[in-house]
Amino acid sequence: MSETPKIRGIIAYPVTTFASSGGIDTERLAALVEKLVSSGVHAIAPLGSTGELAYLDEAEFDTVVDTTIATVAGRVPVVTGVSDVTTAKTIRRAQYAQRAGADAVMILPVSYWKLSEREIAQHYRSIGEAIDIPIMAYNNPATSGVDMSPELLVSMFETTDNLTMVKESTGDLSRMRRIAELSGGQLPFYNGSNPLVLEALKAGASGWCTAAPNLRPQPCIDLYQAVRAGDLEKAQVLYDDLKPLLEYIVAGGLATTVKAGLDLLGFPAGDPRAPLLPLDEQGRKELQTLLTGE
């Protein structure tokens, strides 16, 4: 297995830019990824929930991977979402990401049927055996329908060599603390719940996985740096400023609200893909106020 990259800090999740005629607008995607990298974020994570991974076909998945990795060009780590309903399709995506040059893959165990812990563990084990790069296990039962306990996550960390990171998105701080406790601090955890970010970073999260840098990158970076520097007063001020936007984009759906926000900021990124709908006019007015105060 390759050495685990040092992935920490602000892990930015770009939206997937769709062309009006259908398919991926690769020029616009490259521009967005460049914008994020140039802003100073510490890693790029294409094809998460924000990137509408669930709504892409395989050719579109490959295109997003290729475009993102080519644009990043090794300047920061790339953590590629590869989740799919079946183990076989997830392996195909993970192997493609590895060949393209991804530094790690992020895997959400998506399921129609309720999976047992034995099935979840085997899913990750099978993927781990098929690739050499690290895996970030992603726990987000609100979207996947599968909830992985801290005990299960640490057990998989101990038995699957390249499962080396956890993104926790339940919004339950006690789970993060439990992961740290059970692993003796050996399993890095990353915050995936935007409104929880300040408390999660204070609790030792290695980074913040977030779509917010699409809209306001600098305050996100400043918040992370303030916590690392121990300046919790400054961190609180930054968080209080960001919190209304963080809560809004989560409540309104990340792909929908972030794409609307980019459009309001003069960087159109296309509409979300049906069954998702563009943000309505009232929502755009509320978002405009959060972004500009107007």
Side-chain angles (χ1 to χ4, degrees):
M1 186 187 73
S2 60
E3 183 180 353
T4 302
K6 300 296 184 183
I7 297 172
R8 57 171 63 92
I10 302 302
I11 304 170
Y13 283 64
V15 297
T16 295
T17 53
F18 295 126
S20 57
S21 57
I24 309 298
D25 185 336
T26 55
E27 183 177 346
R28 206 64 180 151
L29 177 59
L32 176 59
V33 171
E34 180 60 40
K35 179 172 175 282
L36 288 167
V37 174
S38 298
S39 76
V41 299
H42 305 102
I44 298 291
L47 299 166
S49 304
T50 304
E52 299 178 73
L53 172 59
Y55 302 142
L56 304 186
D57 64 29
E58 295 308 285
E60 290 172 331
F61 169 90
D62 296 352
T63 296
V64 172
V65 171
D66 292 339
T67 302
T68 302
I69 291 174
T71 303
V72 172
R75 289 175 288 172
V76 296
V78 175
V79 183
T80 302
V82 299
S83 309
D84 206 309
V85 174
T86 69
T87 301
K89 288 182 179 179
T90 307
I91 287 173
R92 190 214 76 84
R93 289 179 166 185
Q95 290 177 330
Y96 190 91
Q98 176 175 305
R99 289 194 301 272
D103 296 279
V105 294
M106 181 180 65
I107 299 172
L108 181 77
V110 185
S111 182
Y112 176 86
W113 300 102
K114 182 176 175 59
L115 298 179
S116 68
E117 290 196 348
R118 182 172 67 95
E119 290 166 331
I120 295 168
Q122 183 59 56
H123 180 64
Y124 279 97
R125 190 178 305 115
S126 296
I127 300 161
E129 290 171 352
I131 59 174
D132 298 317
I133 57 177
I135 294 170
M136 176 184 283
Y138 177 17
N139 189 44
N140 189 355
T143 56
S144 70
V146 177
D147 191 2
M148 297 183 287
S149 68
E151 289 77 10
L152 174 60
L153 289 164
V154 173
S155 172
M156 293 193 301
F157 166 65
E158 294 171 343
T159 57
T160 300
D161 288 343
N162 47 346
L163 195 160
T164 61
M165 302 169 278
V166 170
K167 176 185 173 184
E168 235 298 331
S169 295
T170 59
D172 182 350
L173 190 63
S174 68
R175 288 177 178 243
M176 298 182 189
R177 291 178 172 143
R178 183 67 172 154
I179 288 168
E181 176 189 359
L182 289 170
S183 70
Q186 296 303 301
L187 176 55
F189 62 89
Y190 299 75
N191 175 59
S193 172
N194 281 305
L196 189 68
V197 56
L198 179 55
E199 292 305 313
L201 291 174
K202 286 161 61 176
S206 294
W208 176 20
C209 302
T210 177
N214 288 280
L215 305 178
R216 295 192 65 194
Q218 195 60 53
C220 298
I221 296 166
D222 291 346
L223 172 58
Y224 171 73
Q225 299 290 11
V227 175
R228 279 185 59 85
D231 191 346
L232 298 185
E233 184 176 345
K234 179 180 179 180
Q236 186 68 57
V237 171
L238 288 161
Y239 173 71
D240 289 343
D241 176 57
L242 274 171
K243 184 181 178 183
L245 177 64
L246 298 178
E247 292 178 337
Y248 186 87
I249 62 176
V250 171
L254 291 172
T256 296
T257 55
V258 171
K259 284 188 169 181
L262 284 167
D263 186 50
L264 290 168
L265 293 172
F267 192 99
D271 289 336
R273 180 163 284 178
L276 299 180
L277 292 174
L279 194 63
D280 62 22
E281 280 307 309
Q282 180 58 40
R284 287 175 64 90
K285 290 178 182 177
E286 294 172 8
L287 184 53
Q288 177 79 47
T289 300
L290 290 171
L291 290 173
T292 66
E294 300 174 357

